[in-house]
Amino acid sequence: MTSGPLRGVRVVELAGIGPGPFAGMLLADLGADVVRVDRAGPGSPVAPPPATDLLNRGKRSVAVDLKDPAGVATVLGLAARAHVLIEGWRPGVAERLGVGPEQVHAVNPPLVYGRMTGWGQHGPRAGTVGHDITYLALSGALHPIGRAGDPPQVPVNLLGDFGAGALYLVVGVVAALRDAERTGRGQVVDAAIVDGAAHISTMLHSLLAAGLWQDRRGVNLLDTGAPFYDVYETADGGHVAVGAFEPQFYATLVATLGLTDLPDQLDVAQWPVLRERLAAAFRTRTRDEWSALFHDGDGCVTPVLSLHEAPQDAHLRARGTFTEHDGVVQSMPAPRFSATPATLGGPPPLPGQHTAEVLRDWGVQPGPQPGPQPGAQPGAQPGAQPGAQPGAQSA
């Protein structure tokens, strides 16, 4: 049994890939009882094998056919006992299958219904497909990422799918749960990546309005325009990250590098000269040598570690940021709680692995479920993915 601040909350996750499962994983990490409803049949060809899909850790899986009325009834039976249901399909898909907000609220009015899409539930693009990169592009969040004179650079799919998508869904679900506790009324949380990407860009819009940000790449303090906020290659072909834009940290940076007679830090016209001096200095030692020199100071320089290297870092090891769990190296739950610490649940389940167990635990009979069961307590589990395309609003 897991622990955490959400212990006792039941979540039904209708299976998909990407941001929806990550949101379910985060809820499970924080102690929620998350039941994933998988399709009865082959899974997505672009998802990892089920046994190693860490986005499903800590969950249980039931398998149903949502094209069969009995499967729909089973999901509604689970929803009747849940606090939360999350899905990531295109607008209208859940309704057509019989598990949309109206159908679910008919059996459980206080339930929070979380919808994870790219474009949102309405608007001219709502019914079209997309992925992380397309949502970032339209929101304006992709444009600033890159170097001067180069095209925008793709920030993997962490910023859109997981930062602007899944995390916003979780915040919305937790906020709506709080409201449901006060009012007894559930609601729909419309978490669109395009909205989250716009919202997460608020600081840049603030700087732009104040005349402190140029609406082009690679010329600003935080976008590789400033030579003291950038990445540099080292003698061994590694890299270090430099983030020393405050004067006191910049002073430590140049002193540790042993540089003198530099142009003024904020003389933008001299930034190319400053960049060349910094780059030449960093090329004189290896990444790990620079890491050791800057380790105990305030120069704001750290090594750029690979995915394999990061779990071995001394600081991350001291904090237990990573662990090996069920034979797989993975991150521990975050954030951390003093009174209700979160712990990792079980390994990723195989599709349908817990069907009988979950239905028994939740008191759901397979087959027709005419409505709320007498004495049923809200608190739920997963959902299923019936033929919808994977992705956030590509779903």
Side-chain angles (χ1 to χ4, degrees):
M1 176 68 71
T2 60
S3 62
L6 293 183
R7 185 173 180 178
V9 174
R10 289 180 171 180
V11 180
V12 173
E13 176 194 324
L14 303 182
I17 65 171
F22 183 80
M25 184 203 82
L26 179 51
L27 293 170
D29 281 353
L30 298 182
D33 181 8
V34 179
V35 172
R36 177 177 165 98
V37 179
D38 283 295
R39 72 171 72 193
S44 169
V46 299
T52 58
D53 190 347
L54 292 179
L55 299 190
N56 291 325
R57 72 185 187 189
K59 305 175 186 178
R60 294 187 288 176
S61 171
V62 302
V64 303
D65 181 359
L66 280 177
K67 296 180 180 179
D68 184 329
V72 174
T74 298
V75 171
L76 291 177
L78 291 169
R81 294 154 174 80
H83 299 100
V84 178
L85 184 147
I86 58 177
E87 58 93 0
W89 304 334
R90 291 200 217 186
V93 171
E95 286 85 347
R96 290 195 300 272
L97 290 168
V99 292
E102 289 189 10
Q103 293 104 329
V104 169
H105 282 143
V107 301
N108 188 355
L111 179 134
V112 173
Y113 196 106
R115 315 198 81 164
M116 181 75 264
T117 62
W119 300 123
Q121 296 299 310
H122 70 277
R125 295 179 183 267
T128 64
V129 298
H131 277 294
D132 178 290
I133 188 173
T134 51
Y135 314 135
L136 293 182
L138 200 72
S139 70
L142 185 63
H143 180 268
I145 301 173
R147 295 188 177 276
D150 289 342
Q153 296 299 301
V154 181
V156 199
N157 69 326
L158 300 179
L159 175 57
D161 281 350
F162 301 111
L167 295 184
Y168 275 81
L169 175 61
V170 170
V171 168
V173 162
V174 172
L177 276 173
R178 179 69 183 94
D179 184 70
E181 290 175 357
R182 291 188 301 106
T183 66
R185 179 189 67 242
Q187 60 182 299
V188 176
V189 178
D190 177 4
I193 295 174
V194 71
D195 293 345
H199 190 263
I200 213 169
S201 305
T202 298
M203 186 192 75
L204 298 185
H205 284 279
S206 176
L207 294 173
L208 187 65
L212 299 175
W213 189 271
Q214 298 182 57
D215 198 13
R216 54 195 182 97
R217 283 179 296 284
V219 296
N220 299 286
L221 273 178
L222 301 173
D223 64 355
T224 74
F228 40 85
Y229 198 89
D230 205 347
V231 173
Y232 289 93
E233 186 174 5
T234 55
D236 57 345
H239 293 87
V240 292
V242 179
F245 58 77
E246 293 91 344
Q248 66 274 28
F249 302 150
Y250 176 75
T252 301
L253 168 69
V254 297
T256 306
L257 290 173
L259 295 176
T260 58
D261 300 322
L262 294 176
D264 182 80
Q265 178 188 5
L266 299 181
D267 185 351
V268 176
Q270 294 298 310
W271 277 1
V273 174
L274 179 55
R275 185 180 302 279
E276 289 179 6
R277 295 285 304 278
L278 293 177
F282 278 115
R283 285 195 294 266
T284 63
R285 296 178 185 266
T286 67
R287 184 197 69 177
D288 292 346
E289 288 172 336
W290 285 122
S291 179
L293 284 171
F294 280 99
H295 187 275
D296 297 323
D298 288 336
C300 295
V301 175
T302 53
V304 178
L305 301 182
S306 72
L307 295 176
H308 284 298
E309 292 175 311
Q312 305 307 318
D313 176 75
H315 180 78
L316 301 184
R317 287 173 65 89
R319 288 184 58 79
T321 300
F322 290 92
T323 188
E324 184 173 326
H325 190 66
D326 294 306
V328 180
V329 174
Q330 55 195 282
S331 60
M332 286 293 287
R336 305 181 187 204
F337 299 85
S338 61
T340 55
T343 57
L344 286 177
L350 299 176
Q353 179 178 342
H354 304 102
T355 300
E357 172 187 307
V358 168
L359 297 184
R360 181 186 66 247
D361 288 353
W362 286 26
V364 176
Q365 296 296 321
Q369 300 288 329
Q373 302 301 301
Q377 297 297 316
Q381 307 243 348
Q385 168 87 4
Q389 299 181 23
Q393 171 126 3
S394 24

